[in-house]
Amino acid sequence: MSFAPLSLQATYALISALDPSLNLPSDDAEKDNAIRIARETGKWDSLVKVGEQPTTFWMRQLKGTDRTWLIGHQSRNRLTDLELCEIAFRLAIDKIDNFGSFHTVKRSKVEGRDLATNEVLDAIYAVNADPSIGQTIVAELGGVVIQRLMEGVAPKS
Amino acid sequence: MTYLSDCEKCMQANPKIQRQQMGCGYESAIDADFVWMPEGMRLRPGETMKHCAGYTCRLPEVIEIARARVHWDKGSIESFCDGRPTDAMLLGIEVLDASANELQGALMTPRSEGGLRGEE
C-alpha cells in the first residue's frame, strides 16, 4: 500500500489516529510517537493492519490570506476550539478516500472563502452513530491544519 | 557520517537508547543536550535541533524543497509547482538556499579560520 508523501505544494494526506485499520501501540506516548513519525515520513504501511485500508483525508494547502481570515473569523465569532477546528477542516479538506459511499466534497462560499459544506462534517459525525468520535477526528485533523497554517511548516530539525 | 543517508542501516547498527541520545526521529524524544549533526553544521544563536540531521534530510517535504530549489535556481519554479509556489515552499527554499550558501562559504574557508577547508 502506498500513500502520497507529504507535500508543501500539492494536496497532502492525513489519517486519523482513531482509524480502526491502524495497529497502534496501547501506550499513549508510544502511540503519539508512531503517529508523528508516520505523518512526518509518510510511511504508514507498518501501522496499517494487513488487508485493511484506512480512511484518507486529502487536504489542500492553505494560503496566508486563509490564515488572516481564520484569525479574524475566530475573533469576530468567538468560536470554540472545536468550531475553529471544524472551520479549518472545511477550508482544507479536498476529498476523502475509503469512507463508505462518501466521495465528493461539496463547497460553498463563506465570507468569500471557499469552504466545504457542513455535509462532510455530518457524514463524519454519523460514524458509529456517535458524534463524539467524529468530533475527535475533526479536532485532530483540523488541529493539524491549524498548526501548519499558524506555525508554518517549521524547519524539521 | 556513514548513516547520514541511510536511517535503516543506522537503526540496525545502533541500539535504541543511543539513537535516542542522538535525536533519532524514529524514536521518542528523551531529554538530551546532544543531537547528532554532521561535521561543519552549526546552529545559529537561538536555533534548536529536535532530530538528527539524517532523519530530517530524508523527510518528503525536505526532499521536495531540495528538488524545487533546483528549478527555482533556474527561474522555473512555477513550472515545477504547476503554478505559484506556496508560502511554505518559498520559505523552505530560502532556508535551504541560505544554508547551502553558508556551507559553500565554510568549504572555502581554511580550518584555521573556522571553516572546513583542508586537512583536520
Side-chain angles (χ1 to χ4, degrees), chain B residues 22 25 51 76 99 105:
Chain B
M22 294 164 78
H51 298 308
S76 58
S99 300

Side-chain angles (χ1 to χ4, degrees), chain A residues 39-91:
Chain A
R39 290 226 169 108
E40 287 182 353
T41 61
K43 294 176 184 169
W44 288 91
D45 294 27
S46 61
L47 297 182
V48 178
K49 293 174 187 166
V50 176
E52 298 205 23
Q53 288 259 358
T55 299
T56 308
F57 299 86
W58 291 91
M59 313 307 260
R60 307 186 305 173
Q61 301 287 341
L62 299 183
K63 298 174 182 162
T65 51
D66 294 317
R67 182 179 188 275
T68 310
W69 177 77
L70 194 62
I71 293 169
H73 189 72
Q74 181 191 26
S75 169
R76 285 189 295 278
N77 297 287
R78 296 182 183 179
L79 303 177
T80 63
D81 289 347
L82 179 58
E83 286 172 321
L84 180 65
C85 288
E86 283 185 344
I87 294 286
F89 182 88
R90 287 172 58 200
L91 259 176

Side-chain angles (χ1 to χ4, degrees), chain A residues 6 32-43 154-157, chain B residues 1 3-8 10-11 19-20 22-29 35-38 41 49-63:
Chain A
L6 280 179
D32 289 348
N33 198 47
I35 290 288
R36 173 190 64 78
I37 293 166
R39 290 226 169 108
E40 287 182 353
T41 61
K43 294 176 184 169
K156 295 292 184 184
S157 55
Chain B
M1 217 38 199
Y3 303 126
L4 180 59
S5 60
D6 197 333
C7 291
E8 284 72 26
C10 181
M11 284 191 263
R19 285 185 292 108
Q20 278 181 307
M22 294 164 78
C24 174
Y26 285 102
E27 301 298 345
S28 50
V35 170
W36 184 86
M37 59 182 86
M41 183 173 169
M49 263 183 89
K50 269 197 320 201
H51 298 308
C52 158
Y55 173 82
T56 305
C57 290
R58 287 163 53 90
L59 293 175
E61 287 159 320
V62 177
I63 293 170

